[in-house]
Amino acid sequence: MLHTTADPDVFIAEIDTIFDGDGDGDGDGEDVAVSLVQIFRIRDGKIARLRDYFAPELMS
């Protein structure tokens, strides 16, 4: 989901993604759903700053 802000050079993206729980190849891992929030600042048509937020405890 994309959110605009009062500043036209800043927008927020909410992203839900699935990480493959079988990263080690043994076939017994469970997939993990993670929600991320990214905040972008644009300058001169390019990404000048990107902040990424998520709950790291979901990755353990």
Side-chain angles (χ1 to χ4, degrees):
M1 181 177 290
L2 188 62
H3 302 275
T4 57
T5 66
D7 183 338
D9 293 332
V10 175
F11 64 92
I12 300 168
E14 291 182 62
I15 302 166
D16 293 324
T17 189
I18 303 294
F19 286 94
D20 183 358
D22 191 27
D24 60 5
D26 65 4
D28 66 354
E30 291 185 31
D31 292 349
V32 177
V34 177
S35 295
L36 308 147
V37 173
Q38 295 180 321
I39 303 173
F40 293 83
R41 175 171 293 281
I42 305 299
R43 186 171 296 124
D44 298 325
K46 297 180 181 177
I47 298 171
R49 179 169 290 163
L50 169 62
R51 300 284 186 189
D52 224 4
Y53 297 94
F54 67 99
E57 64 272 8
L58 296 175
M59 300 305 298
S60 60

